[in-house]
Structure formats: structure tokens, C-alpha cells
Amino acid sequence: MSKLFSFSGTDDFCPGGSIYTNPKESSLFLSLGRHVDVYFPSRKRSRISAPFVFSGERFEKKKSSIEVLPDECLFEILRRLPGGQERSSCACVSKRWLTIVSNIRSNEISDNKTTQALDLNYESTDKKGGDVSEVEDEDVAGGYLSRSLEGKKATDVRLAAIAVGTAGRGGLGKLFIRGSNSSRGVTAVGLRAISRGCPSLRVLSLWNLATVGDGGLCEIAEGCHQLQKLDLCHCPAITNESLLSLAKGCPDLTDLTIEGCANIGNEGIQAIARCCPNLKSVSIKDCPLLGDQGIASLLTSASYSLSKLKLQALNITDVSLAVIGHYGKAVTDLSLASLPNVTEKGFWVMGNGHGLQKLKSFTVKACRGVTDLGLEAIGKGCPNLKQFCLGKCAFLSDNGLVSFAKAAGSLESLELEECHRVTQFGFFGSLINCGAKFKAISLMNCLGIKDLNVGLPPLPPCESLRSLSIRNCPGFGDASLAALGKLCPQLQNVELSGLHGITDVGFLPLLESCEAGLVKVNLSGCPNLGDKVVCKMADLHGRTLEMLNLDGCKISDAGLVAIAENCRLLSDLDVSKCTITDSGIAALACSNLIDLQILSVSGCNLVSDKSLPSLGKLGQTLLGLNLQQCKAISSGAVDLLVEQLWRCDILF
């Protein structure tokens, strides 16, 4: 101790030499002066966990050690994870990890023995814990999961999340994308994630995606070889290159829909036809570059598999229709619309091609080439045609319609819309000359239909007709309606809507002529029909009537009383905009026969809060109640009904 206090700056603190044997370890000494060293023994290095470090004069945020790893290393780590759920959990760490995980292909996942052992252990743990049932695994094993993105939710990040999330649950089977985020829309990056993570994808639908081009669909073609259904609508950046890649990568394609893709033409369709032998359904609309060459290749290559074909707003000519008539041997459903370059010759050649022997449903709209001559040829050349729909055919007349009805012996349903040259003579002529299988006829917006000025001669009845629909044909009146009743005694479904020319005088004979019993009756928009018709209908057909629409008719409480007393099978009743009151609603509620499921009193201003108890009683069977525009019903009463009728959907 005395030496310590007598120490001077020129003396050695330790005369025996350095206290540390290794002079090279000078870092273990803390210098307090020229002759003073304090010894610090070595110890374990402290772990630095501070989030910030000093670098020179800057204050920087410290990166975690895992973030220092390059993407290649992270890729190798993540692909060696034992199961899909672990990879999904890691994808939630950051967008960077999500991007890396979503780019791991299924065949790149490590399959070493350690991973397999961990997989087995994980599966056994799940089964014991009950987190994942065997039934669920079987349901999703084939890629039956379905996902849909719309509007702002349609981004690359969400697609990557879907690819990772569904991979651990059996795989994605269906993907629908409608629209795109304006600032971060779907691109090839998102579709690349789907391609690599969802090899089981079978259905892909892309609508209104301006940011998706050939790169994205080429990725799909490279990774989704099981694709069967493809729907491309209003994707302007997609060209023939996409279809070429899809044809090579997805040979199992069966359904193809293309609409509003201006850069797709003959080359792409030819590639699909050449490489996809199992095509069953093709729908193409508004593709100006597509012509006869593409359609011809499609029909000739898929002659024995293509069953549904829809062509609309295309620049094809009579050549395409000739090819359809000759090679459409498997076509059962055909739709042609807005084909301005197709003439009468095209339809005539198609009908005489004798290739449409299996055609069952045929729709033609807005084609100026439809004439009497072509229509007769179609009737003769399609012996199994059952459903025929004609719309906006300006050159079709009564003669062509009657000739078609005579030739089409298997016809079951005929629909005419905006065929203004067809008159009442063509209408009744088709009914008289149709075959024994004819069941339904529909007229809509046909301005050539006028009321009969003279009575029809005795005609053989059309015993097979079951359904009659006449909508918005202003010339149709009582005389035609009465004649229909005599001509069609087996009617069961009647729709007469928007007809101001029919009254009780014309409708009553129809009711008396129907022998089978009416089941569904729609008289909406017929303001000249009143209680007399309803009472007679309830009396004669109450035992069979199931649906009755009287929207806009002159119906009062007397009509509701007749319905309540006779219509025991009625489940759907619409008396909107009628002059019914609370008494009529009470009559329905007091009936022990009627069990309504749907009731509409929309726009009935005489129905008030007093009907609340009656509506509550009806609500025991009601599933839907429409109280819109009922000004005498308060919102408080509706709130009580909503609380009381919790099983019923109420519109107010």
C-alpha cells in the first residue's frame, strides 16, 4: 500500500514487467496515461440489439441480419420448408418474402428425406389436433378452390397471396379477375405468381384488364397445363402471341370465350384449333381482325368435338356459314348475331350443307341475311332443331315463318323479337303448321302484329302448346286473344305483359277455353284487366294456379278475396300498383287455404300500418315481401316487421 501512495509518474507500476504475458494482446489494456495500464479480462462478446448504429457522423437504422441475405439465399431457404402452411406463414412477413415464396414452382420444392419426414410428422400432428380434416383435403386436392378479385382488390400482391395461400390447401382451381386497380393493376408479375404456385388451375377469367398483355398469359401457358376454360373479355393488350403460347401449353382447353380483344385474329384462333383437339365451346365477339380463315380452321379441326358456337359482331362472310353448315357435325347450340357481311346465300348454303344434324338450339339476331328462303333451308337442314330464336330480322315475313314451321318437325320453342314484317297471319300460321312437339311460343316487340279484323275459319287446335308469351306488342287485342283460347286449349303458362289492347272481354274466353288448368299467369302492365278476370281465373284455375302477377292491373279487394278463397296452391302473388286496401290484405291473412311465399304490394298507397298484424300472420310462410313505395306504411312499422319476420326478406 505504501508503494501505491508513493508512486511517481516515472516509476513502473509493476516492476516485474507486464502483467499480461502476451504483449500482442494490448487491446485488453485501458491506457490511463503514459505509464498506467488497467487490465480487463476477456469475456463473451455482448450481442448488439440496438436498432440504430453510428456510421461516422450519420445515424442509421440497423438492418436485421435476415434482410442482408440476397433473394437467392432466401429462395433456397424457403423452398426447403416442410409444408405449404409454413411457406404461407413466411409469406406474411413482408412483400419481399411474399414475392419470393410466390415464385417457387411446385417442382422446385425440396423433396429430401428430412423434408419428407417433417411433412409426415406435420400431417400426423394435424390429424391428431383436428385442424385439417381428411375430408377437406380430399375436396381440395384436385384444385377445386375458387377465388375472385374485383376492382381495387385486383393487384399483383393479392394474386401472389392467393398463389401462396391456396397452394397449401390443395391448389387453386378457378380464378376470376374483374377490372383492375387503377394505380397498381394486375400485370404479368401477378399472373407469373399464379402460374408458378397454381399448376392445378382449370378455369381462368379475365375481364377489363388493360394492363395484362401477352407476357402474363405466356406465364399461364408455361405453368398451368391443366387449364380447361379461358375467358378473355376486353383485354386490349392481348394479341395472337398469347393464344399461340396457350395452344402449346394448354392442350386440354375445352371452353374458350374471347370478347372485345381487338388484337386477336386468325393466327391465334388457328393455333388453338390446331393444338386443342378437345374444344367443346367457343364464343367470339367483337374481334375485328378475325375472319373466315380463323372460323374455317376452328370448324374443320374440331368438327367432331365442338358442340357450342357463338359468333357475334365479326367481319365474317358467307364462307364461314358454309363451313359451319358442312363441318358442324357435333354442334348442338349455335348463336349468330350482328354479322353484317353475311347474306341470304350464306344461310341458304348453311341449311343445305347437311352438317347440322345434331343442332338443337339456334339463335339468330340482327343478321340482315335472314330471309324467307334461308329460313326454310334451315328448317329442312336441321331435323333435330328444338329451340329457335329470331331477333331483329327485318326481311323475314309471314311466308318464311310458316315455311319454317312446316319444315322443322322437331321444333319445341319459337321466339320472335322485333321481327316487324311478321303479322298475325304468320303468327297463327306457325301455330297451325307446327309439329306435335311444339310447346312454347313468344312474341316480343313485334309491331307488325295487329288485332284480327275478321274471324278465323275453323282450324285444327294446337294441342301441344303449353306456354304463350306476348310482350309489348301494342297491336295485339281481344279478338286475337279469344282466337288463341280456342286454338290452344292446353295452355298452362300465360304471359301477356304491356298489352293495353286487351280487356276482360277478350281474356275471359281464353280462361274458359284452357282445359289443362293455368299454372303461371303474368298480366303485368295490362291496365284494362280488372277484378272480373281475377275472380273468373280463381274460380276456374284456383286448383292449379301457382304464380300470379297483376302488377298495374285494375285490381281491388274483391280480387284478393277471390284469390284467398280459391287459390290453395298459390305461392307467388304480385299486386303492385293496384287499388287494394288493408281489407284485402286482411282477407289474404284470414284464409286457411293460401300459403304465400312471395308477396309484392309495391306502390299500393292504400295499404297502411293497419295491415301490420295481417302481414305478420302472412309472414309465417313468407320468404319475400315487397313494400316499396307504400307511402301509407311508416318506417317504424317496417322495423317491427323486420324484427318479427326474421326469415323473410323485406324490401322497403
Side-chain angles (χ1 to χ4, degrees):
M1 181 66 68
S2 60
K3 289 184 179 181
L4 179 61
F5 284 99
S6 61
F7 171 76
S8 64
T10 58
D11 298 330
D12 289 333
F13 185 77
C14 295
S18 174
I19 62 175
Y20 195 71
T21 57
N22 188 355
K24 296 181 180 180
E25 298 291 340
S26 59
S27 60
L28 298 177
F29 289 87
L30 176 63
S31 177
L32 299 179
R34 190 172 51 170
H35 298 287
V36 180
D37 288 330
V38 179
Y39 172 68
F40 287 90
S42 61
R43 60 179 179 175
K44 186 176 180 180
R45 185 175 61 182
S46 299
R47 181 175 179 178
I48 299 175
S49 58
F52 299 98
V53 295
F54 290 98
S55 177
E57 297 181 354
R58 293 183 300 172
F59 193 59
E60 297 180 350
K61 187 173 181 179
K62 183 177 179 291
K63 293 184 178 180
S64 60
S65 56
I66 194 68
E67 291 295 333
V68 178
L69 288 177
D71 291 348
E72 293 79 6
C73 293
L74 278 176
F75 179 88
E76 292 298 327
I77 294 171
L78 295 175
R79 80 181 184 91
R80 284 173 168 78
L81 292 176
Q85 294 192 7
E86 287 88 344
R87 285 187 291 276
S88 298
S89 300
C90 290
C92 298
V93 172
S94 65
K95 289 184 179 180
R96 180 192 177 204
W97 283 37
L98 172 61
T99 303
I100 295 174
V101 173
S102 65
N103 279 276
I104 301 176
R105 300 180 188 272
S106 57
N107 58 1
E108 293 174 337
I109 298 174
S110 178
D111 57 353
N112 56 52
K113 295 181 179 180
T114 303
T115 303
Q116 291 178 358
L118 288 172
D119 272 331
L120 293 174
N121 185 27
Y122 182 78
E123 291 175 4
S124 63
T125 303
D126 277 345
K127 291 179 180 178
K128 291 179 182 179
D131 293 335
V132 181
S133 65
E134 295 180 3
V135 176
E136 181 180 355
D137 286 341
E138 291 177 0
D139 287 342
V140 301
Y144 294 112
L145 292 176
S146 178
R147 294 292 183 268
S148 178
L149 295 178
E150 297 184 8
K152 295 181 180 180
K153 294 183 179 180
T155 62
D156 288 339
V157 174
R158 286 185 180 270
L159 285 178
I162 288 174
V164 175
T166 57
R169 299 179 56 196
L172 183 66
K174 299 179 181 180
L175 177 61
F176 305 90
I177 306 177
R178 303 287 190 268
S180 183
N181 191 301
S182 58
S183 58
R184 295 173 292 135
V186 173
T187 65
V189 175
L191 293 181
R192 183 188 303 120
I194 294 296
S195 169
R196 298 189 175 186
C198 307
S200 60
L201 187 68
R202 290 179 173 85
V203 179
L204 177 62
S205 180
L206 306 178
W207 282 23
N208 299 320
L209 298 177
T211 55
V212 172
D214 294 331
L217 283 184
C218 289
E219 292 285 350
I220 293 294
E222 184 178 350
C224 302
H225 302 301
Q226 300 181 32
L227 191 67
Q228 296 177 356
K229 296 183 180 181
L230 178 63
D231 186 359
L232 304 175
C233 292
H234 300 289
C235 300
I238 293 177
T239 68
N240 288 325
E241 183 181 348
S242 295
L243 295 190
L244 291 172
S245 299
L246 288 166
K248 296 178 181 178
C250 307
D252 294 333
L253 200 65
T254 60
D255 290 50
L256 176 64
T257 299
I258 302 175
E259 179 179 341
C261 297
N263 293 313
I264 290 180
N266 293 323
E267 185 180 359
I269 297 299
Q270 287 173 334
I272 292 291
R274 185 170 55 250
C275 301
C276 302
N278 299 318
L279 272 179
K280 296 180 180 180
S281 176
V282 174
S283 176
I284 307 176
K285 176 182 178 181
D286 194 17
C287 296
L289 297 182
L290 181 63
D292 294 326
Q293 294 180 353
I295 301 302
S297 298
L298 192 64
L299 267 297
T300 54
S301 299
S303 179
Y304 294 97
S305 63
L306 188 63
S307 59
K308 295 183 180 180
L309 178 63
K310 181 178 180 180
L311 304 176
Q312 182 174 354
L314 301 178
N315 293 323
I316 60 176
T317 66
D318 296 337
V319 174
S320 292
L321 265 64
V323 173
I324 294 173
H326 186 75
Y327 290 98
K329 298 178 181 180
V331 175
T332 59
D333 295 87
L334 178 61
S335 177
L336 305 175
S338 302
L339 304 178
N341 298 327
V342 174
T343 67
E344 178 185 61
K345 181 180 178 180
F347 284 96
W348 185 87
V349 173
M350 182 175 67
N352 286 281
H354 303 292
L356 298 175
Q357 299 294 311
K358 295 184 178 181
L359 187 64
K360 296 180 180 180
S361 177
F362 190 16
T363 299
V364 183
K365 292 188 176 182
C367 293
R368 297 175 61 86
V370 177
T371 62
D372 296 344
L373 183 63
L375 195 62
E376 183 180 4
I378 290 173
K380 293 179 180 179
C382 306
N384 293 303
L385 186 62
K386 295 182 178 181
Q387 298 177 350
F388 192 38
C389 177
L390 287 169
K392 298 182 180 180
C393 297
F395 297 104
L396 176 65
S397 69
D398 295 336
N399 293 331
L401 186 61
V402 172
S403 299
F404 171 79
K406 291 179 180 180
S410 299
L411 191 66
E412 296 180 1
S413 175
L414 176 63
E415 179 179 336
L416 301 177
E417 179 182 358
E418 295 188 35
C419 296
H420 302 309
R421 292 188 64 184
V422 175
T423 70
Q424 62 273 18
F425 297 105
F427 172 61
F428 283 98
S430 61
L431 289 177
I432 297 170
N433 292 280
C434 64
K437 299 179 180 180
F438 194 60
K439 297 179 181 179
I441 190 168
S442 174
L443 298 179
M444 184 167 60
N445 295 323
C446 293
L447 303 182
I449 301 293
K450 305 294 182 181
D451 205 19
L452 291 173
N453 296 323
V454 294
L456 291 175
L459 299 172
C462 182
E463 297 282 355
S464 61
L465 193 68
R466 297 291 185 272
S467 178
L468 171 68
S469 176
I470 301 176
R471 293 172 287 173
N472 300 320
C473 297
F476 195 87
D478 288 339
S480 299
L481 194 59
L484 270 176
K486 297 178 181 179
L487 189 61
C488 309
Q490 301 299 322
L491 282 176
Q492 294 179 343
N493 304 320
V494 175
E495 180 180 8
L496 304 172
S497 60
L499 303 181
H500 294 253
I502 62 174
T503 65
D504 295 349
V505 176
F507 198 75
L508 288 174
L510 177 67
L511 292 176
E512 295 172 352
S513 301
C514 293
E515 302 172 358
L518 294 175
V519 178
K520 297 181 180 180
V521 178
N522 182 0
L523 303 176
S524 61
C526 297
N528 296 317
L529 294 179
D531 290 330
K532 187 180 295 186
V533 164
V534 176
C535 293
K536 192 69 171 181
M537 189 189 313
D539 181 35
L540 296 177
H541 305 280
R543 69 186 187 280
T544 58
L545 195 61
E546 297 178 3
M547 190 278 287
L548 180 59
N549 188 341
L550 302 171
D551 184 359
C553 298
K554 293 191 299 183
I555 308 301
S556 65
D557 293 339
L560 287 186
V561 171
I563 291 172
E565 293 177 350
N566 296 280
C567 302
R568 60 182 62 195
L569 296 181
L570 191 66
S571 62
D572 189 339
L573 177 61
D574 190 342
V575 287
S576 300
K577 297 188 286 292
C578 294
T579 56
I580 62 172
T581 67
D582 297 327
S583 299
I585 301 297
L588 287 176
C590 294
S591 174
N592 296 323
L593 298 177
I594 194 168
D595 290 323
L596 284 176
Q597 294 184 358
I598 305 295
L599 175 62
S600 177
V601 293
S602 173
C604 297
N605 296 325
L606 300 179
V607 177
S608 65
D609 290 349
K610 295 180 181 180
S611 293
L612 186 61
S614 300
L615 292 174
K617 187 175 181 180
L618 289 170
Q620 296 176 3
T621 59
L622 280 180
L623 300 177
L625 177 61
N626 188 352
L627 300 176
Q628 291 179 317
Q629 299 178 0
C630 292
K631 299 179 181 179
I633 298 180
S634 63
S635 58
V638 175
D639 292 338
L640 291 175
L641 276 178
V642 170
E643 183 177 353
Q644 181 181 357
L645 309 180
W646 56 271
R647 294 175 58 238
C648 179
D649 291 331
I650 300 178
L651 296 178
F652 180 69

